[in-house]
Each structure stands twice: as C-alpha cells, then as structure tokens.
Amino acid sequence: MLRKAVITLFALFLCLRGGAQIVNSLRVDRETYMMYASARMQQFNPDNLAVADSLYSRGVAQNNYRLKCYALAIEFPVRYFLGEQERMDECIEEIRSMVGERKDVRTFYLGVIHEWCQYLLNEGRISEAMLEAREMERIAIAEKNALGKLYSHRIIGLIQSERTNAYLAVDNFTKAVRYCREAHAEHELPNLYILIAQELIHLKDFITAEDYCIKAEEYQDFYPSIRIKALMTRAYLYNARGWNNAFWTTYATLTADPLYAVQADADSRHTMDAAYLRSRGLFAEALAAADSLATARDRHDVKHGIYADMGSYSDAYSELSLLLNERDSVYIRVQNEDLAILDAEMNNAQLRQEAERLKAQNNITILVGFLVMFAIAFFAILLSQWQLRQNLDEMRRKNSQALAALQKAMEAKESENNYKIKILQNRTTNRLFDYENILDI
C-alpha cells in the first residue's frame, strides 16, 4: 500500500510543483508562453481544451511546430483527467513525430515523455512506461544529457517500487539524485529523498530512512507539499518500528494540516487511518477503514494484520492466503510484463539496427551516386578537354594552312613585283640607251 501512496503522491507532486518549474523550453514569444504557463498551472482544467485548440490552430496557420507542441502539451493532461486515453496517446505521438528527433528542443521533449510515463504508470501500463523510460535513458546516454538520465531512473525506480523490488527502486532513485546535481535540477531532490526513504522502510533500514526524511524537510519552506509527504513517510516509519507515541503524534499533526486532505488520495488516507486505529486497539473501526480500500490486494494486506492483533488467527490466515494469491497473480503479471518488455526491447533494438542498416545503405547509395556523378562529370570534363584540344589542333592546322597559303601568295606577289620591277628597269635602260644614241647622232 505504501508503494501505491508513493506513486500517487509523486503524481500530485508533479502537479503542484508544475507552476514553479514551467520554462519556455520551446522559446516561443512571451504572449504564447504566458498562455501555456497559465494553462499548465491548472493542467487538469477542461477549459484548457479551448486554449489548446486556439494555440494549435495558430500553429497550423503559421506552420509553427512549436505552437502545436505547446498546444498538445496543454491538451493531453486534460484528456488524462477526462479518461480519454486514445486521444491522449494521439497527442503524445504527434509531439513525438514533431520533436522526437530534434536535439534543440530536447528539454521540452524529455519533460513531456517523463510526464507521459507517470500517467502510464498510474494507469497500470507498466510495460509501456518501462519502454519509454529505457528509451529516455538511451537518448540521455547517447547525448550525455543528465536531465534525461534523471527522468529515466526516477521512472524506473517508481516501476520497481510498484513491483515491490525495493533494492532496485533505491538504486534507481539514488542514481536519479546524482543526475539531479549534474542537471542542476536541485528542486527535484526533496521528492527523491522521500521516495528513497519510503523504500528504505520496506527494507527496514529505519535510521537511513529517517535521515532522508530530514533531508527532504530542509526544502519544505520552498515546496510546502514536501511537508505532508515527509509527515506521511515519518508516520509509516514510526508505525513500522512500533513507536506508537511518535506515530500518534505525527498522525495528529498530519490530519490537522489542511493540505493533507488535498494532497493525499483516499486510499492513502484510509490506510493511514486503519494503521492508527489498529495501533489504538480499535479493531472494528480499523477493519472498516481497511474495507474502504480500492483494491482487494490492499484490503487483504491491511486486514490480515488487524485480525492477527485481534487474536482471530483463522481470519488472519484466510486474509493472508488471499493476499498470497493476489501476490501470485501479481508475480505472474510481472513475469508477463518482463517478457513483454524484453520482446519489445528486442523489437526496438531490431528496428534500430534496421534503421541503422538502412541509414548506412542510404549513405552508401548516396556515396555511390556521388561517385558516379563525379565520374560522369570528370569524364565530361575530359571529353570536353579532348574536344577542345581537337578543335584547337584543327584551328592550328587551318591557321597553318592559311598562313602557308598567304605566305605563298605573298611570295608569288613578290615574284610578280620583282618581275615587273625588272621589266620597268629594262624599259628604263632601253630608253636611256635610245636617248644616248640620239645624242650621238
């Protein structure tokens, strides 16, 4: 039952801290960001659907994927609240298709998928949540993204908590603490401290569990919700240790706080009431509180202890047998989930390998195409150079022929001129000779 409280309280923590941690991770204009932030402050308000529709329409008109992503991020928590699972799935898939591969908006994408994992976990879709967390971890490792590592290990820790694997839960929450500091996301620390403390109670490491409660309480001035969570954890811890006086005092403080009724779900309150009434010896009232629990597993878990304290061992044995049957069915479900996760991860790995193969093949095709084009271009250049050389040689040949013909013509002309000159000279000589003869006469 404590594990269910862990997950439910974590979901409430996400909602209550949402306003303080909203950032303009898609870097849109101030007006759009303020619209988004305002809607996220009341993320389960059905009126947000109109805001989301308006923002999405703007995104379509402007062909702006950032506006559409913010619109879908506003819409899907409301769809969860309304129980419209199919539409919520569609919102996430559309966000994934638009920004899943974009590294420049990775903070927004990881935040959305982290919140999506939390809803999957609340709905009991454990296998899907685990696959999403593993994918976040893969992206985070590949990109050395501390925030992605924080988110993935926190979700995996919650899944292991739900599946009663306390050691694995603590291990993943502890890793998430380390990545908190790397990501400079110290605001996440108090919640992680509470999660670790609650798992340590199951491991009966009460001293370390209380140390983590103290660490978490150091943040309660900044995050009021931490006070309720720390008080609830302390109450579970004192009850588990059999420290009745400390438990009763903590219970009184807790139930007197107005935030308790707001932040703790009905099952968590009924469990706490049953534990208090049992510790007071009010067994009939404790059984009535236990009967108010939502699941048979939780009812059997609480009631068998109450019957044992009453000395009604046959009833205690009956409740314990029913509880073991429930746990057996859970064990079978867990095994089936493990097989489903393994199968899906193998399929995802095969898909990734196929994608890498196709990418490599595509790169080879592009390279070959480039080489062919280069070869064609190179051949065309060589052919052009050869043709140019042939043309130049032809021009040289023709020029040589023309020059030879011109030279021959000039030589012929020169010969002709020389001949004419000789004739002229002869005529002149003859005339002079005739003139001399005339003078002699």
Side-chain angles (χ1 to χ4, degrees):
M1 186 60 213
L2 176 56
R3 290 186 171 87
K4 184 174 181 180
V6 169
I7 296 172
T8 304
L9 286 172
F10 176 64
L12 289 169
F13 176 79
L14 283 177
C15 301
L16 292 169
R17 77 177 179 86
Q21 304 307 328
I22 295 171
V23 295
N24 191 359
S25 53
L26 289 182
R27 300 185 295 279
V28 297
D29 61 275
R30 178 177 174 78
E31 179 184 356
T32 301
Y33 168 64
M34 293 304 296
M35 181 188 302
Y36 169 74
S38 177
R40 291 292 296 176
M41 290 288 288
Q42 304 178 62
Q43 60 180 347
F44 298 128
N45 187 345
D47 292 342
N48 284 344
L49 292 180
V51 177
D53 287 343
S54 173
L55 195 55
Y56 192 89
S57 297
R58 279 178 51 199
V60 171
Q62 299 176 21
N63 193 25
N64 188 324
Y65 74 91
R66 296 173 186 267
L67 300 183
K68 291 192 286 186
C69 280
Y70 266 161
L72 293 167
I74 292 171
E75 180 182 353
F76 91 83
V78 182
R79 299 300 182 185
Y80 172 77
F81 176 74
L82 298 175
E84 298 175 5
Q85 188 69 54
E86 185 176 349
R87 175 54 190 163
M88 185 169 68
D89 292 353
E90 291 172 356
C91 291
I92 294 300
E93 287 308 312
E94 188 170 357
I95 289 175
R96 198 193 309 275
S97 69
M98 286 189 287
V99 298
E101 299 299 324
R102 298 186 66 98
K103 294 183 180 181
D104 58 323
V105 291
R106 186 64 78 206
T107 299
F108 169 79
Y109 179 69
L110 290 174
V112 169
I113 297 302
H114 176 246
E115 190 172 357
W116 170 236
C117 285
Q118 180 58 53
Y119 293 141
L120 291 175
L121 192 54
N122 290 346
E123 289 296 303
R125 297 163 64 180
I126 306 296
S127 299
E128 294 175 68
M130 179 65 86
L131 289 173
E132 293 285 2
R134 292 296 190 199
E135 181 63 15
M136 272 199 294
E137 184 182 24
R138 186 189 67 80
I139 292 173
I141 291 173
E143 299 179 5
K144 298 181 180 179
N145 188 308
L147 186 64
K149 295 176 185 178
L150 157 64
Y151 286 160
S152 61
H153 282 290
R154 180 159 59 187
I155 291 298
I156 293 171
L158 288 170
I159 291 171
Q160 298 299 352
S161 175
E162 173 70 8
R163 300 169 71 181
T164 68
N165 294 326
Y167 283 108
L168 292 177
V170 170
D171 179 63
N172 279 281
F173 291 145
T174 303
K175 289 177 180 177
V177 167
R178 183 171 79 246
Y179 294 127
C180 263
R181 296 190 174 96
E182 286 187 21
H184 303 293
E186 285 78 5
H187 56 275
E188 306 282 3
L189 287 173
N191 183 63
L192 287 170
Y193 290 152
I194 292 294
L195 294 174
I196 293 172
Q198 291 171 340
E199 292 305 313
L200 290 172
I201 293 173
H202 289 292
L203 297 174
K204 300 190 183 304
D205 188 352
F206 301 122
I207 294 175
T208 309
E210 189 159 17
D211 288 342
Y212 274 102
C213 283
I214 293 170
K215 288 182 180 180
E217 287 169 338
E218 293 174 357
Y219 292 82
Q220 63 185 357
D221 290 342
F222 302 98
Y223 305 105
S225 62
I226 290 297
R227 171 177 168 76
I228 299 300
K229 297 174 73 174
L231 281 173
M232 289 186 70
T233 305
R234 283 183 176 277
Y236 285 123
L237 188 154
Y238 297 146
N239 185 50
R241 299 194 74 172
W243 292 3
N244 285 338
N245 289 332
F247 174 44
W248 296 337
T249 302
T250 306
Y251 176 83
T253 304
L254 183 65
T255 54
D257 195 312
L259 288 177
Y260 176 62
V262 176
Q263 295 185 13
D265 67 295
D267 267 12
S268 297
R269 296 197 303 273
H270 291 319
T271 302
M272 188 69 70
D273 293 341
Y276 173 76
L277 294 167
R278 175 186 170 187
S279 69
R280 286 288 190 179
L282 303 172
F283 300 123
E285 292 85 346
L287 287 171
D291 284 331
S292 300
L293 295 173
T295 66
R297 177 186 172 187
D298 294 334
R299 291 194 295 271
H300 299 319
D301 191 16
V302 174
K303 289 174 72 174
H304 91 271
I306 298 172
Y307 281 127
D309 285 354
M310 292 172 61
S312 180
Y313 298 114
S314 61
D315 289 332
Y317 176 77
S318 176
E319 293 291 338
L320 183 58
S321 297
L322 292 171
L323 175 61
L324 292 176
N325 287 336
E326 289 288 335
R327 287 180 176 174
D328 286 343
S329 65
V330 170
Y331 176 77
I332 293 172
R333 176 174 61 83
V334 167
Q335 294 301 312
N336 290 335
E337 287 172 357
D338 286 339
L339 290 174
I341 291 169
L342 179 61
D343 182 62
E345 287 184 335
M346 290 179 64
N347 288 336
N348 286 345
Q350 290 174 353
L351 288 173
R352 285 196 294 272
Q353 289 176 357
E354 181 66 15
E356 291 297 327
R357 187 187 68 79
L358 290 174
K359 183 178 179 181
Q361 183 177 350
N362 187 50
N363 289 339
I364 292 173
T365 302
I366 292 173
L367 179 61
V368 170
F370 173 77
L371 291 175
V372 170
M373 291 179 63
F374 178 79
I376 292 172
F378 184 70
F379 178 76
I381 292 172
L382 289 178
L383 181 63
S384 175
Q385 291 292 327
W386 179 81
Q387 187 66 43
L388 180 61
R389 189 175 293 109
Q390 293 295 317
N391 292 338
L392 288 173
D393 289 344
E394 181 66 17
M395 289 177 64
R396 289 192 188 99
R397 186 181 64 78
K398 290 181 177 180
N399 288 339
S400 296
Q401 291 177 349
L403 184 61
L406 178 62
Q407 186 174 1
K408 188 174 181 180
M410 290 178 65
E411 288 176 353
K413 188 68 176 177
E414 185 177 0
S415 298
E416 182 181 354
N417 290 337
N418 289 335
Y419 177 75
K420 289 180 179 180
I421 290 171
K422 286 180 180 180
I423 293 174
L424 182 62
Q425 288 176 344
N426 289 333
R427 287 177 180 175
T428 303
T429 302
N430 292 332
R431 287 177 181 177
L432 288 173
F433 180 76
D434 291 339
Y435 182 73
E436 288 177 353
N437 290 335
I438 292 173
L439 291 179
D440 289 341
I441 294 176

